[in-house]
Amino acid sequence: MAIKAEYIWIDGTKPTAKLRSKTRVLPNADKIPTWGFDGSSTNQAEGHASDRVLDPVRVTPDPIRGGDNILVLCEVLETDGTPHVSNTRALLREVAEKYASQESIFGIEQEYTFFKGSRPLGFPEGGFPAPQGGYYCGVGAEEVFGREIVELHLDRCIDAGLAICGINAEVMPGQWEFQIGPVDALTVSDDMWIARYLLYRTAEEFGIDATLDAKPARGDWNGAGAHTNFSTKAMREGYDAIITACESLGTSQEKVLEHVNQYGHDIQSRLTGKHETAPWNVYSYGVSDRGASVRIPWQVEVDKKGYIEDRRPNANVDPYVVTRLLINTCCEALEK
Ligand code: ADP
Ligand code: MN
Ligand code: MN
């Protein structure tokens, strides 16, 4: 019987790319062909020669449609087969290949915020909820908003076979987190984009918008980040490599800005030095320090091996970009 294949890709919207998808009916899942779309409607082409190619790179069961239906994550190519400029996955492929022997792995914590209309879910009409304090990992109707969506999203991520490893309610009402990892750079990033797709689609069924905005509510409310946990084989085996990696991220102000400028739109509004963040333009690292740019978890200091957490990436960061930058900077330093 014919199946439905949902082709998913990342568009060219600036400053933050968006997900797009469309459905193709196939005789079966044995052969998943390349496909095309109109790049002039997705900020991926100017008027005339606007055909762009969808090249399937990761196929999973479709947990929304069920049955034999599938999700097909794609890279966007030009018609001559070269990567389109918006295709950040192609850049990651090269860098991951170059430093493959260091066996980098990642866990990304995706924070996000539900909106109903123009207000975060749980914010009363025309007013504000009780200040932050009880919402993080909260239990009960006073604290928790949207759990039925979150639970359905988790089930769907598991059913799709994604490397999802946990969820929790976050510091602001209507704010949540899921974590993908620990797996290699391409897998964590592909799975993150598919998990984002499932999040938007699941929330859509409830008439709720899920947003990755870095600072969804102005004022004394936490922003939304995508803490990126990173290790190489050497870091998983010894502490010197942990320190080398931390130091490499702060060798110069250019290095600091190279990362921060590509860690997601509106990062200055989130990395203010308040709300468990470090100022965006000042690099620091420390053990157990949630006010540092990069945190060495206390267990890692005890064990003298493990991983580091870059706390700077915004919720709206492109995982293909943050993993590429971390591999490039840290693996280059570790190679010496
Ligand atoms: P916290 O909220 O305390 O920062 P989380 O439990 O939300 O921590 O996230 C920790 C992340 O670290 C998980 O996503 C996990 O996949 C990742 N992780 C664990 N071990 C490693 C490792 N050796 N290398 C890279 N990431 C790791
Ligand atoms: Mn977390
Ligand atoms: Mn964290």
Side-chain angles (χ1 to χ4, degrees):
M1 206 174 63
I3 63 158
K4 289 173 257 184
E6 192 69 13
Y7 280 62
I8 301 167
W9 74 99
I10 297 147
D11 77 4
T13 302
K14 293 214 164 70
T16 303
K18 298 201 292 189
L19 282 166
R20 307 273 178 154
S21 81
K22 58 176 181 160
T23 309
R24 181 161 184 179
V25 178
L26 297 173
N28 53 56
D30 295 348
K31 190 168 174 298
I32 297 154
T34 57
W35 201 12
F37 68 100
D38 171 14
S40 70
S41 300
T42 62
N43 302 300
Q44 284 164 310
E46 306 290 322
H48 309 293
S50 69
D51 282 347
R52 294 291 175 269
V53 175
L54 294 175
D55 186 26
V57 291
R58 174 126 158 78
V59 178
T60 76
D62 182 343
I64 299 176
R65 288 181 169 138
D68 292 330
N69 301 304
I70 53 175
L71 303 178
V72 181
L73 183 70
C74 299
E75 278 189 28
V76 175
L77 307 180
E78 302 282 355
T79 45
D80 67 4
T82 56
H84 185 260
V85 286
S86 63
N87 181 348
T88 50
R89 190 180 188 278
L91 299 175
L92 171 61
R93 272 195 278 121
E94 283 175 28
V95 172
E97 178 69 25
K98 180 175 174 194
Y99 292 109
S101 65
Q102 294 198 33
E103 298 177 31
S104 298
I105 59 174
F106 292 86
I108 302 182
E109 306 167 47
Q110 176 71 70
E111 295 181 341
Y112 61 92
T113 312
F114 288 134
F115 268 70
K116 194 170 174 67
S118 62
R119 310 275 290 163
L121 193 63
F123 277 47
E125 273 316 314
F128 285 92
Q132 289 184 169
Y135 305 109
Y136 170 74
C137 297
V139 180
E142 283 278 290
E143 260 87 32
V144 171
F145 307 92
R147 197 189 295 278
E148 62 282 16
I149 312 173
V150 173
E151 287 289 327
L152 183 55
H153 173 248
L154 176 60
D155 285 340
R156 287 171 168 181
C157 288
I158 293 171
D159 291 348
L162 306 184
I164 192 159
C165 60
I167 56 171
N168 59 266
E170 269 300 336
V171 176
M172 189 182 96
Q175 199 180 56
W176 294 83
E177 170 179 309
F178 65 84
Q179 301 106 29
I180 304 275
V183 285
D184 67 89
L186 276 173
T187 307
V188 82
S189 307
D190 289 346
D191 283 18
M192 180 59 74
W193 278 114
I194 297 170
R196 287 175 175 179
Y197 170 82
L198 291 172
L199 178 66
Y200 298 136
R201 286 293 314 276
T202 302
E204 182 187 313
E205 291 170 18
F206 293 80
I208 298 287
D209 183 39
T211 171
L212 306 186
D213 270 8
K215 195 74 183 177
R218 301 282 143 175
D220 207 9
W221 303 98
N222 270 47
H227 298 167
T228 302
N229 300 274
F230 166 70
S231 67
T232 64
K233 188 161 184 288
M235 293 162 72
R236 294 189 292 277
E237 290 173 350
Y239 206 64
D240 286 352
I242 296 278
I243 298 301
T244 302
C246 289
E247 291 282 338
S248 71
L249 292 163
T251 46
S252 66
Q253 194 62 11
E254 288 79 61
K255 175 54 75 181
V256 173
L257 296 183
E258 181 200 352
H259 279 250
V260 162
N261 288 339
Q262 298 180 78
Y263 274 9
H265 174 62
D266 204 21
I267 201 156
Q268 291 88 344
S269 328
R270 177 177 149 262
L271 299 186
T272 56
K274 290 165 70 179
H275 303 112
E276 304 172 75
T277 68
W280 64 276
N281 54 353
V282 182
Y283 177 78
S284 60
Y285 70 91
V287 175
S288 241
D289 187 354
R290 286 168 198 272
S293 315
V294 170
R295 176 175 69 105
I296 301 173
W298 67 270
Q299 190 66 49
V300 173
E301 219 243 340
V302 172
D303 296 344
K304 295 286 178 239
K305 61 183 181 184
Y307 64 96
I308 61 172
E309 175 190 51
D310 193 337
R311 299 176 58 78
R312 295 171 295 173
N314 269 353
N316 58 9
V317 74
D318 178 347
Y320 296 129
V321 172
V322 64
T323 55
R324 183 186 87 229
L325 291 169
L326 283 170
I327 292 177
N328 233 343
T329 299
C330 298
C331 291
E332 191 195 21
L334 286 162
E335 203 173 50
K336 288 179 186 141

